[in-house]
Amino acid sequence: MQRSGCIIAGLLFCVTAMARPVAVAPEHEDRYHSLLDELRCLVCQNQTIAESNADLAKDLRAEVRKMLHDGAADSEIIEFMVNRYGDFVLYRPPVRPRTLLLWFGPFVFLIIAFLVLARVLKKQQKVGNAPLTEDEQAKVDSILDRTEE
Amino acid sequence: MQVLHRPAMFRYFLPAILFSVLAGFLVVGLYKDPTAVSSPLVGKPVPQFSLPRLWDNEAMFSEREFPGEVSLLNVWATWCLACRQEHPVLSELSRQAVTIYGLNYKDDVSEARQYLTEHGDPYAASAVDKSGRVGIEWGVYGVPETFVIDKTGVIRHKHIGVLTQEDVEETLLPLIRKLQDEAA
């Protein structure tokens, strides 16, 4: 029993060793995982390269591990990916002239919505407080009479 | 029935106008291919690399092959069905217009050789990227991909996915002719 456990552990070790040509050093573990969460897998576009099982994602994970091992900074690794795959590889698009609308558009719409809301409220308040003129009172009376009939 | 005067009309039609604008954007979005991501490599010199050649693995194939004439680099593999689909189109293109180089991506060398022997070899030379590492340098994320490279060795266009006869006639050939007329 114990022996078969040993064999299974050995096999598992082999499998993990094969899957990871360069292991992540323990001190790089946190950086490795946060980098993987930032990078989009271009094959299955709604997954990060941490989540994706695509071959390319595996290759890119290996590349990130290798670069970490070689002492690259996070910014260098991100730059490496952007230079090859474009901004689309980033889950958080950088602020650039062409992404201004993307970043600030929602706030612009929010401000417009507040302006409209303020105007509507102001108008309602004005109408609500003003007493009815004679003409208006007559109109109201006639409508009420009609509905009572 | 009261006739709507100007501000009231505006108020009634504004939502309709906003809706049409939004619908317009969404309709345009429907016809865009989300898998075709534009490459940052377009406009830049081909990346540096050195790989064994498919037919002679003693000799190397590098970025120095490209300058001098307009050429294509086609990334392909025998396991990629779409590549088989575009193979006749490439063969025809290689006969009539332009030098095509092949990048055999994460493939089995003997299978690649056998495939080209059976179906014809459109490539002036083929490089073997067994690990896919050079593919990363080229920003490859799905085979087939085809790059158009000008006389100075600068990437001018990237086509993602199967190359159809229509793509060749409407996009590639006009671009290739234009690049061939440029001074080296």
Side-chain angles (χ1 to χ4, degrees), chain A residues 38 87 90-94 103:
Chain A
E38 293 281 308
D87 285 345
L90 302 177
Y91 257 102
R92 256 187 301 178
W103 274 98

Side-chain angles (χ1 to χ4, degrees), chain B residues 44-102:
Chain B
K44 294 199 184 127
V46 292
Q48 290 183 357
F49 67 96
S50 183
L51 285 173
R53 284 167 189 262
L54 182 66
W55 297 107
D56 176 11
N57 42 24
E58 299 290 303
M60 300 305 271
F61 183 96
S62 78
E63 78 286 351
R64 284 192 294 271
E65 301 281 334
F66 295 105
E69 62 171 341
V70 178
S71 59
L72 302 188
L73 180 79
N74 177 249
V75 187
W76 72 287
T78 53
W79 48 261
C80 147
L81 289 176
C83 302
R84 291 171 184 242
Q85 204 179 329
E86 71 174 8
H87 188 265
V89 177
L90 282 177
S91 301
E92 181 58 32
L93 188 61
S94 72
R95 267 192 294 273
Q96 58 171 221
V98 69
T99 302
I100 305 175
Y101 297 109

Side-chain angles (χ1 to χ4, degrees), chain A residues 100-121:
Chain A
L100 283 182
L101 191 65
L102 180 70
W103 274 98
F104 301 107
F107 298 108
V108 173
F109 283 119
L110 192 66
I111 289 168
I112 293 175
F114 272 122
L115 289 178
V116 169
L117 182 69
R119 241 185 80 165
V120 167
L121 286 180

Side-chain angles (χ1 to χ4, degrees), chain A residues 42-43 45 55-56 58-60 63 66-67 80-89 98 101 123, chain B residues 11 34-41 44 105-106 131-133 135-142 158:
Chain A
L42 276 91
V43 181
Q45 299 182 340
D55 250 17
L56 180 72
K58 287 181 199 158
D59 291 354
L60 291 180
E63 200 58 40
K66 192 176 152 286
M67 290 184 81
F80 174 91
M81 296 295 171
V82 170
N83 283 344
R84 283 157 187 77
Y85 294 100
D87 285 345
F88 192 64
V89 80
R98 55 174 302 202
L101 191 65
K123 220 168 164 184
Chain B
R11 193 189 297 164
T35 60
V37 180
S38 65
S39 171
L41 292 165
K44 294 199 184 127
Y105 180 71
K106 301 187 87 161
S131 68
R133 183 61 191 75
I136 293 177
E137 289 302 324
W138 284 79
V140 170
Y141 62 88
K158 179 183 181 182

